């Protein structure tokens, strides 16, 4: 877990590290690039708190697990308990907006999926969720109109706006909270746009919410 703590506007947030609730297939173009079907309902999975890692620190991945893909996702830090919540309650529980990488050992995930097995080994491993500092939510005028981007070695790989999500942030939180109570310190990852790809040794990554946040990091493959 390294030195990761939740931070809001660069100060330590008084929130524990909790679970990470993730959404699969929330941008139509990404669904198509992986040749998946557009789902009828959100696809949920979890990462444990041990997958949190400061996005500003070097990311280490392991060749022995096969290809590792980056998925750049808007992340939402929660500061209230939510069970079967309304949209209004969901919006009121958002403490901050940041960026995370949903690191995925894609070959391993494909193998697990083909056997109908859970994919945690491919997505929930230690440090599988490098996460930025959060920007307090009240700084955003409209959570359903936030642009975010990812550059690899100077080239833009991913660019999206939360307005293009199949399910919007508050809707996802309501849906998830019917199954999993969300607790203060939990994080919600809202799905990757298209443009995912594999990480190589010495890659330089830059993720940004233009005007709010930018974080650079590097990759080491061992
Ligand atoms: Zn993802």
């Amino acid at each position: 877990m390294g030195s990761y703590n939740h931070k809001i506007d660069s100060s330590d947030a008084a929130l524990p590290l909790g679970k990470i609730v993730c959404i699969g297939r929330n941008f139509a173009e990404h669904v198509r690039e992986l040749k998946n079907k557009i789902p009828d309902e959100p696809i949920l999975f979890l990462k444990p708190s041990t997958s949190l890692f400061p996005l500003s620190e070097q990311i280490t991945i392991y060749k022995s697990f096969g290809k590792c893909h980056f998925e750049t996702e808007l992340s939402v830090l929660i500061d209230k308990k939510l069970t079967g919540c309304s949209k209004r309650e969901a919006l009121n529980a958002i403490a901050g907006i940041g960026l995370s990488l949903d690191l995925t050992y894609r070959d391993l995930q494909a193998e697990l999926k083909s056997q109908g097995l859970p994919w945690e080994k491919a997505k929930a491993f230690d440090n599988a969720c490098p996460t930025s500092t959060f920007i307090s939510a009240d700084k955003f005028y409209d959570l359903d109109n936030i642009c975010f981007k990812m550059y690899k070695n100077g080239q833009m790989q991913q660019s999206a706006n939360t307005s293009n999500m199949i399910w919007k942030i508050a809707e996802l939180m309501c849906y998830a909270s019917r199954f999993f109570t969300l607790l203060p310190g939990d994080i919600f990852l809202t799905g990757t746009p298209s443009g995912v790809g594999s990480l190589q040794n010495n890659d330089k990554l830059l993720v940004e919410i233009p005007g709010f946040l930018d974080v650079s990091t590097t990759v080491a493959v061992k």
Side-chain angles (χ1 to χ4, degrees):
M1 210 181 313
S3 55
Y4 181 88
N5 282 305
H6 294 319
K7 288 187 187 328
I8 301 178
D9 300 334
S10 307
S11 307
D12 281 330
L15 290 167
L17 303 190
K19 62 184 171 297
I20 302 149
V21 181
C22 306
I23 301 294
R25 306 179 199 170
N26 198 26
F27 284 90
E29 269 183 50
H30 170 64
V31 177
R32 286 191 282 271
E33 79 180 341
L34 291 189
K35 299 185 171 60
N36 286 316
K37 280 201 186 106
I38 304 260
D40 297 328
E41 291 190 26
I43 294 171
L44 302 178
F45 61 97
L46 301 177
K47 290 181 189 252
S49 59
T50 42
S51 65
L52 287 166
F53 183 74
L55 182 55
S56 54
E57 289 183 21
Q58 185 174 62
I59 294 167
T60 301
I61 54 177
Y62 298 93
K63 268 194 286 230
S64 57
F65 294 134
K67 232 179 1 214
C68 187
H69 271 191
F70 57 84
E71 297 187 354
T72 310
E73 309 199 9
L74 197 89
S75 51
V76 174
L77 177 62
I78 290 159
D79 68 354
K80 292 185 184 63
K81 184 179 173 182
L82 298 170
T83 307
C85 67
S86 66
K87 275 195 206 173
R88 192 195 169 97
E89 288 166 326
L91 289 170
N92 197 35
I94 299 176
I97 300 290
L99 291 170
S100 296
L101 296 178
D102 169 15
L103 295 182
T104 305
Y105 283 114
R106 193 69 77 198
D107 297 333
L108 183 55
Q109 185 195 27
E111 189 190 314
L112 293 165
K113 275 166 78 175
S114 73
Q115 294 178 52
L117 296 172
W119 64 39
E120 273 82 357
K121 285 193 289 185
K123 276 185 173 281
F125 53 92
D126 286 354
N127 302 347
C129 191
T131 295
S132 73
T133 184
F134 290 86
I135 305 296
S136 51
D138 54 18
K139 298 210 166 111
F140 295 89
Y141 175 69
D142 180 1
L143 297 186
D144 294 329
N145 186 11
I146 300 176
C147 173
F148 62 102
K149 294 174 195 240
M150 187 274 202
Y151 297 81
K152 189 174 79 160
N153 303 323
Q155 293 220 307
M156 192 170 71
Q157 299 283 316
Q158 297 193 277
S159 173
N161 189 296
T162 54
S163 63
N164 298 128
M165 290 177 172
I166 298 173
W167 291 283
K168 303 296 189 282
I169 295 171
E171 285 177 309
L172 289 172
M173 290 170 64
C174 295
Y175 180 81
S177 82
R178 290 161 52 191
F179 301 92
F180 317 117
T181 290
L182 302 175
L183 292 173
D186 286 353
I187 291 183
F188 210 90
L189 258 57
T190 53
T192 185
S194 59
V196 300
S198 37
L199 295 173
Q200 314 292 340
N201 197 34
N202 294 323
D203 276 346
K204 290 182 176 45
L205 312 182
L206 168 68
V207 297
E208 64 169 357
I209 301 175
F212 291 94
L213 177 73
D214 60 272
V215 188
S216 302
T217 191
T218 55
V219 177
V221 179
K222 292 205 168 153

